[in-house]
Amino acid sequence: MNKLKKDLRIIKTEKNIRTALFSLLKSKSLEDITVSELCRKAHVNRGTFYLHYGNIQDVFKQTFEEIVEDLKISYDEPYKQTNDNINQLDANMIRIFDHVKRHQNFYEIVFNERIPMTYYYSVFDRIRLLMSYSIEKALTTTTNIDKEYLLSYQTNAILGLLIQWHRKNYETPVMELNKHLLKIINFNS
């Protein structure tokens, strides 16, 4: 039982540190945030911080990797449910907007116009990589579409939807977005 409590405390401490980091990132760049101010904001002492992380970049990197892993699972889910036959896609199968809603604090930073594009490009590159796996199956050797341009086009299409949702303060319900995406996919087919 004691180990369980310790694990819950660790989880809570790391969540507090991450939440504080996202809060600070809304007004400062990662490089301008100090461990001291992050600790103050997270209500932890420096020793506790260093038990969990080596530096502030480690907090961001670990959080980014966990969010991207969740993004991958969310992106892959419709392909799994349809056995890669996207024509059988249903709005209930789409998970990418659920993912963004779960990690809204992160995406508010990524799509913030006042923040440098570094985070945007990091997300762009990861989504592009995810799409490259599904595009490999769709492109044939007889297709004369340049894969790199197609990947960038499709990645920006998804990011464009997410940016539009961001501009509307994430107020559009997830299921409504799923239905919009399904209509767009069917329109482009």
Side-chain angles (χ1 to χ4, degrees), residues 30 97 130 134 188:
L30 189 63
F97 300 111
L130 292 175
S134 56
N188 286 331

Side-chain angles (χ1 to χ4, degrees), residues 67 70 98-108:
I67 291 171
D70 187 65
D98 293 304
H99 158 81
V100 172
K101 195 66 172 174
R102 265 192 314 280
H103 302 287
Q104 184 174 332
N105 285 338
F106 173 76
Y107 286 99
E108 286 174 350

